[in-house]
Amino acid sequence: MQSAPFALALSRKTLAALLIVAAWSLPARAVVSFEEVKRDFRSSDTAVLDRSGELLQRVRTDPTVRRGQWTALADVSPALRTAMVLSEDKRFYEHSGIDWRAVSAAAWGNLWNTRTRGASTITMQLSGLLDEELRRSSGGRSFTQKIGQTVAAAQLERNWRKDQILEAYLNTVPFRGEIVGIDALSRTLFGKAPSGLDAREASVAAALVRAPNAKPAVVAQRACEVLRTMEPQQKTDCEALDMFTSAAVQRRAFEPNEGIAPHAARRVLRELRDANAGASPVAAATTTSSKGKDKDPGVRTTLRASLQRFSLDTLQRHLRELRDRHVEDGALVVLDNATGEVLAWVGSSGPLSQAAEVDGVTALRQPGSTLKPLLYAQAIAEKRITAASLIEDSSAQISTASGLYIPQNYDRRFKGPVSARTALAASLNVPAVRTLVMVSPEAFARELRAAGLPLRESGDYYGYSLALGSAEVSLLSLTNAYRMLANGGRYATTTLMPRPAEKPKTSSAAPAPLLDPRAAYIVGDILSDPNARTRTFGLDSILSTRFWTAVKTGTSKDMRDNWAVGWSQRYTVGVWVGNASGESMWDVSGTSGAAPVWAEVMRFLHAREPSRAPTPPPGVVEARVSFGPGADGNPLEAARSEWFLQGTEQPLFALDTGMATDAASARITAPADGTIIALDPDIPPQRQRVRFDSEGRGVQWRIDGKPLARGNSVQWFPWPGRHVIELVDASGKVVDQRRLEVRGAGVVAKNTRR
């Protein structure tokens, strides 16, 4: 009988000969380079970067595998490198791809039916990972595959350095479940980078290579063997390692998405996917940071990391202060006026929200009074009003196809005749509705759509409530519409990704503005005027800044949404607070909701950057104006300098001097002729009243030919049917009349007869 060493030597020579013969029968394979493997490596996540290459968000984009970033061997802990070599290939630094001693031992063991460790080296394993034809199937590798793997390993050793082989192996080897590569393993099971793994963690990682999906107890047993080999001089507590391993293999510290810009990141990747149909977002848009070639690749955006972080922190801090007012959600966006680049995009309040996945920047909400600047700009551009025009702020009953529309101010009070400047800056509702009557809802809706606001219905559908923000818009589109005002009426789209440098245009002619630049300038001047907004917001308002800004707040019906949108010389900032569920907030005003966040972000933007008032465009003139007396004999507003479209200026603005002063020229001012009144079934009939208003002296009212009351304003108890209202003088002569109809079940007054 031959001795064991002779048998081993014979086995080695025989196997080598067999390998040489088999290798000649295999087709030649091209050897892939280390640089190609590293270049083609794809993380299962996409890194979304800010404009300077700083990481903003990591987004899971490959659901089939969990693969982290490529990790250089120098960034892998020495303990892990040692554990992996001791566990998988003790003579890794000695052989040339094939460990003949291990091959011989394996062959001898197979001859005597003895269990031995496999002879596959790290290089051989790597060759199987890099070549799909050599990849191990569930039934193991065929003889041909094993021969091909051996030949490929020898080729790798001739063309690669040992450190490159080990680095590529650590980045491509499967560990457990969907986890591939040391970066994903380290962050998932241990919550740290590969550079921080200690001996205990390294032994578990090495054990998982041998038995990726084994039970925790089996992995722990193998890890204990590896740890003993690594630290032969120390006593190994295998029981403690068992508990540690069980906890580690169940941990999922590597979250699918993490960072400070989740909604913006998803938006960018969706746009890339749409623009590069069929290509993965990573392959379509990965770019290397300008900070160095070793920087992790990612998708570059226009965001500023420092601004994004400050905006998120500010929004969350303010929402915590509003928690007792039933507010949990918010959103914020910052635009560069000149380029349209998005500099900050905060889609939600994150952990404070029960609907953190909802993107408040793109969600559709009612904008409240924030549509008013666009309405007044259109009215001024069409020369229907000027900034000094007097608009009546009093009870109004506007007849519509579905009945009366009766707008109210935020504080339920009326200011009487006010200038358009005061009406807009103080956010008075009734003057805005009267302005929309001049412009018409359909014309205003067309203008809003042209400015990028996604109105779903026609202007006639919304009616006069459109002046008060009854349509739904997104924070992004609304903020960009304000950016149009900041840019002198010129509309342009926004972008989250850097635009390629444009070639110089042969023509110097700029595109025509969507809105008259003169009207845009005047509206900006009104919204920057702290004195004009004092009637509603007072002198010491959060909206006032030390540098030039123009801003408008808004609150939707039932206090569901609160907004603050405004611009400076360089930036436009939009903020929304509310509840993603649509529930109402409690006692949140225009200055306590979104405005404080808006003001803080603006101060951050201009901490070291000035903001100066814009230069008046050609065709805008400044003129001195005064105002006529009101009912108390005092001027309606103080004399001032005002801006006008050239040709619309005038020195005096006063009430209509032709107002009726006696019964002969008296008239009914409300309701309108043909008004239809619908009784509300939820309000007790005895509490429902209709107000009649008139101008003139010595007048009295009749309803259906019967006396009703005297005076310019009376309250009428309505009952169903068609009615005729008459205004008569002292002699009983009818000087004006209106017809109206009351619908719904009511109670007939005791002192009236049908």
Side-chain angles (χ1 to χ4, degrees), residues 234-257:
Q234 298 184 24
K235 184 178 180 180
T236 303
D237 188 346
C238 291
E239 186 175 345
L241 185 58
D242 189 351
M243 291 187 291
F244 173 79
T245 304
S246 297
V249 296
Q250 297 177 47
R251 188 180 298 122
R252 290 293 180 269
F254 200 19
E255 295 296 331
N257 302 290

Side-chain angles (χ1 to χ4, degrees), residues 660-721:
T661 57
D662 54 31
S665 55
R667 65 185 181 93
I668 298 173
T669 57
D673 192 42
T675 294
I676 299 174
I677 300 170
L679 295 175
D680 191 332
D682 294 328
I683 301 176
Q686 297 86 346
R687 295 183 176 272
Q688 301 192 53
R689 295 288 187 275
V690 177
R691 177 169 169 168
F692 299 161
D693 292 309
S694 68
E695 294 176 350
R697 298 176 182 174
V699 295
Q700 54 184 327
W701 298 86
R702 291 196 310 207
I703 183 79
D704 298 332
K706 298 178 177 60
L708 176 64
R710 294 179 180 275
N712 292 104
S713 182
V714 299
Q715 299 284 337
W716 174 60
F717 180 88
W719 66 84

Side-chain angles (χ1 to χ4, degrees), residues 533-544:
R533 66 171 77 103
T534 54
R535 289 201 179 188
T536 298
F537 300 101
L539 288 171
D540 188 20
S541 170
I542 189 71
L543 302 176
S544 299

Side-chain angles (χ1 to χ4, degrees), residues 368-685:
S369 294
T370 55
L371 292 187
K372 291 175 182 175
L374 302 169
L375 171 62
Y376 280 89
Q378 184 175 353
I380 291 172
E382 294 175 357
K383 297 183 179 180
R384 299 180 185 278
I385 60 172
T386 70
S389 296
L390 292 173
I391 308 175
E392 185 70 26
D393 181 33
S394 61
S395 177
Q397 299 179 1
I398 301 173
S399 179
T400 69
S402 58
L404 282 180
Y405 177 59
I406 307 176
Q408 296 286 335
N409 285 327
Y410 178 79
D411 58 4
R412 300 286 177 177
R413 298 178 181 178
F414 299 106
K415 308 296 189 295
V418 295
S419 68
R421 174 176 288 271
T422 298
L424 174 56
S427 197
L428 302 179
N429 287 345
V430 177
V433 174
R434 294 187 190 277
T435 301
L436 182 56
V437 171
M438 305 180 212
V439 172
S440 88
E442 187 56 41
F444 184 40
R446 285 197 301 270
E447 194 80 1
L448 293 178
R449 287 195 193 91
L453 297 174
L455 271 63
R456 293 175 172 175
E457 307 291 345
S458 67
D460 292 336
Y461 173 87
Y462 299 110
Y464 296 110
S465 65
L466 186 57
L468 308 183
S470 60
E472 292 184 330
V473 302
S474 69
L475 177 62
L476 180 62
S477 62
L478 180 63
T479 306
N480 194 42
Y482 273 58
R483 173 176 160 255
M484 176 191 71
L485 294 174
N487 287 334
R490 287 182 171 80
Y491 172 80
T493 57
T494 62
T495 181
L496 258 171
M497 289 179 287
R499 291 186 172 118
E502 295 183 359
K503 296 180 180 179
K505 297 180 180 179
T506 55
S507 174
S508 60
L514 176 66
L515 176 71
D516 190 324
R518 301 172 298 173
Y521 172 82
I522 292 173
V523 166
D525 185 73
I526 293 172
L527 296 181
S528 67
D529 185 355
N531 294 322
R533 66 171 77 103
T534 54
R535 289 201 179 188
T536 298
F537 300 101
L539 288 171
D540 188 20
S541 170
I542 189 71
L543 302 176
S544 299
T545 56
R546 294 178 179 270
F547 44 90
W548 187 91
T549 54
V551 60
K552 183 73 185 70
T553 61
T555 305
S556 68
K557 184 181 179 183
D558 297 329
M559 216 169 278
R560 291 191 179 97
D561 310 280
N562 188 256
W563 310 72
V565 189
W567 69 92
S568 63
Q569 184 179 9
R570 183 175 176 185
Y571 308 103
T572 301
V573 179
V575 182
W576 166 83
V577 299
N579 294 299
S581 63
E583 295 183 20
S584 299
M585 300 173 285
W586 302 338
D587 191 28
V588 176
S589 68
T591 54
S592 65
V597 179
W598 178 89
E600 280 200 51
V601 172
M602 271 297 186
R603 284 197 293 269
F604 179 84
L605 288 166
H606 289 285
R608 296 179 179 84
E609 187 174 352
S611 177
R612 300 179 178 87
T615 303
V620 171
V621 296
E622 188 176 18
R624 189 73 180 173
V625 297
S626 57
F627 296 88
D632 58 1
N634 295 318
L636 292 168
E637 294 188 12
R640 63 172 183 262
S641 292
E642 187 58 271
W643 294 102
F644 295 91
L645 269 64
Q646 193 168 19
T648 64
E649 65 270 24
Q650 63 186 68
L652 176 66
F653 289 82
L655 297 176
D656 184 5
T657 55
M659 183 181 293
T661 57
D662 54 31
S665 55
R667 65 185 181 93
I668 298 173
T669 57
D673 192 42
T675 294
I676 299 174
I677 300 170
L679 295 175
D680 191 332
D682 294 328
I683 301 176

